[in-house]
Amino acid sequence: MHLSHIDYDDYVQAKKKVGFNIDTNHRCRLQCPACQRQKPSLKWKIKASQDMPINDWRKLLKFANSSIEKWNHFNFAKMCGQISDPIYHPNFHELMQIRNEEFPLICMEINTNGSGKKMEWWEKSFELSAQGPVEKDKWIFALDGTDNYTNNIYRVNSNFDEVYEVLKKGKQEYDLQIWWFFLIFEHNVHQLETARKMAKDLKIGFREEYTTRTGGDIIVVDKEGIIFNDITDRGKQYYMRQPDWKEQKIKKYEEFLNKNANNCLQTTKTSV
């Protein structure tokens, strides 16, 4: 099946069924080398951004809620900033309170580095989250190592020990869906098994992923393993590798098209 164009109205309707991502602000304390925030050509995005107004938040949740009313389909709103981290919105607790009171059926997926907030702030956040929908919110914390040194090689300015305690509290005291997201690099792959065990001991979810992120001083290795680009940290060189992710995604994409040929939206088929 060859897809040729995008129908905007169909796209909007489709997003009501599958959820969407929200970038709520323009702040992040971390300085991850491959992040858009570190690319000089993209600094304009940060300057052009602002904290999401409360009324805009309501509009987005109303949009998400419409899927429940029209299709009886449980929906979610994902907070995974492209130039920000959701926990740094100055009115984060108010945003969660609005969800609880006005749109209680919408589940949130909150992706964060988890650093820089006092435990009292986390207690309030988890309390609000626990008061949310029956289908519990999902909190995903990015930790690329099992100690502060290793985690900071890429997640610059993060605090592993601090975030680890937050993971424990969210699961043990509030029984939320807590996940550990581990981005695999050459410099931390030796800690992968330990991280899996630590997550299992906490009884939280664990997700690992080879990175395809590029930018700054970082370029991933191609599938043949012959292209390297290093980040220099503390006088050492670290590398990250990737499996044949392009071929895998293209195969899954084509399988999806063949299975859903009659119902699939027409859109542009682009390289992944």
Side-chain angles (χ1 to χ4, degrees):
M1 177 182 179
H2 179 70
L3 303 179
S4 58
H5 69 278
I6 294 176
D7 184 294
Y8 180 75
D9 291 335
D10 284 348
Y11 171 78
V12 171
Q13 296 304 316
K15 293 307 291 182
K16 289 183 179 181
K17 297 182 181 180
V18 300
F20 54 88
N21 184 46
I22 306 173
D23 213 337
T24 58
N25 67 93
H26 57 90
R27 299 181 178 87
C28 186
R29 62 174 273 159
L30 270 57
Q31 297 179 8
C32 306
C35 178
Q36 293 187 53
R37 298 178 63 87
Q38 306 308 314
K39 298 179 180 180
S41 63
L42 297 176
K43 292 292 185 181
W44 65 270
K45 285 189 175 183
I46 302 172
K47 294 179 180 179
S49 301
Q50 63 176 343
D51 297 321
M52 178 174 286
I54 298 300
N55 285 338
D56 288 354
W57 174 253
R58 281 194 172 95
K59 290 177 182 178
L60 286 170
L61 294 193
K62 183 177 180 180
F63 174 84
N65 200 59
S66 64
S67 69
I68 301 174
E69 299 171 352
K70 188 170 183 178
W71 291 287
N72 193 30
H73 177 83
F74 189 82
N75 209 338
F76 72 94
K78 182 177 182 180
M79 301 171 73
C80 182
Q82 306 305 298
I83 60 170
S84 70
D85 189 302
I87 68 172
Y88 302 128
H89 191 291
N91 298 314
F92 180 84
H93 290 155
E94 184 177 357
L95 300 182
M96 295 296 287
Q97 188 69 44
I98 289 172
R99 188 284 304 269
N100 288 353
E101 295 178 354
E102 301 179 28
F103 307 96
L105 296 180
I106 297 177
C107 182
M108 304 301 301
E109 180 184 300
I110 304 160
N111 294 256
T112 178
N113 67 72
S115 293
K117 292 292 186 180
K118 295 181 179 179
M119 194 57 75
E120 291 80 5
W121 186 93
W122 283 109
E123 290 172 350
K124 178 64 174 178
S125 298
F126 288 155
E127 180 181 343
L128 288 168
S129 193
Q131 295 170 358
V134 175
E135 184 73 19
K136 298 176 183 177
D137 292 335
K138 179 184 290 186
W139 288 80
I140 302 176
F141 293 86
L143 290 172
D144 303 333
T146 58
D147 58 68
N148 199 48
Y149 179 88
T150 305
N151 192 48
N152 265 270
I153 292 174
Y154 181 73
R155 306 279 178 185
V156 180
N157 289 338
S158 60
N159 188 320
F160 177 88
D161 297 328
E162 178 183 279
V163 180
Y164 187 74
E165 291 302 314
V166 172
L167 298 180
K168 291 169 59 176
K169 179 175 286 288
K171 181 60 180 179
Q172 296 175 1
E173 297 185 25
Y174 296 90
D175 194 29
L176 295 171
Q177 287 197 70
I178 305 294
W179 283 75
W180 179 336
F181 175 59
F182 191 105
L183 200 58
I184 302 172
F185 299 87
E186 187 73 3
H187 66 257
N188 66 7
V189 68
H190 66 287
Q191 294 184 341
L192 182 57
E193 286 298 330
T194 301
R196 290 172 180 159
K197 184 179 185 304
M198 292 170 69
K200 184 177 181 180
D201 291 343
L202 291 179
K203 298 181 180 180
I204 63 175
F206 187 85
R207 175 187 167 195
E208 62 199 59
E209 184 174 303
Y210 280 87
T211 181
T212 59
R213 300 183 185 187
T214 61
D217 295 325
I218 298 179
I219 296 178
V220 295
V221 179
D222 72 1
K223 69 175 184 176
E224 302 297 332
I226 58 175
I227 299 177
F228 288 87
N229 194 60
D230 65 286
I231 57 173
T232 302
D233 185 85
R234 303 179 182 88
K236 298 181 179 180
Q237 291 183 329
Y238 302 90
Y239 305 99
M240 53 187 176
R241 304 177 186 275
Q242 67 184 65
D244 54 346
W245 61 274
K246 288 187 177 181
E247 288 78 2
Q248 294 174 15
K249 288 193 173 183
I250 290 174
K251 182 178 179 181
K252 289 182 179 180
Y253 181 63
E254 291 176 343
E255 289 175 350
F256 172 80
L257 292 181
N258 292 331
K259 183 178 179 180
N260 300 275
N262 294 328
N263 300 320
C264 189
L265 296 177
Q266 289 189 321
T267 185
T268 302
K269 185 175 181 180
T270 57
S271 171
V272 294

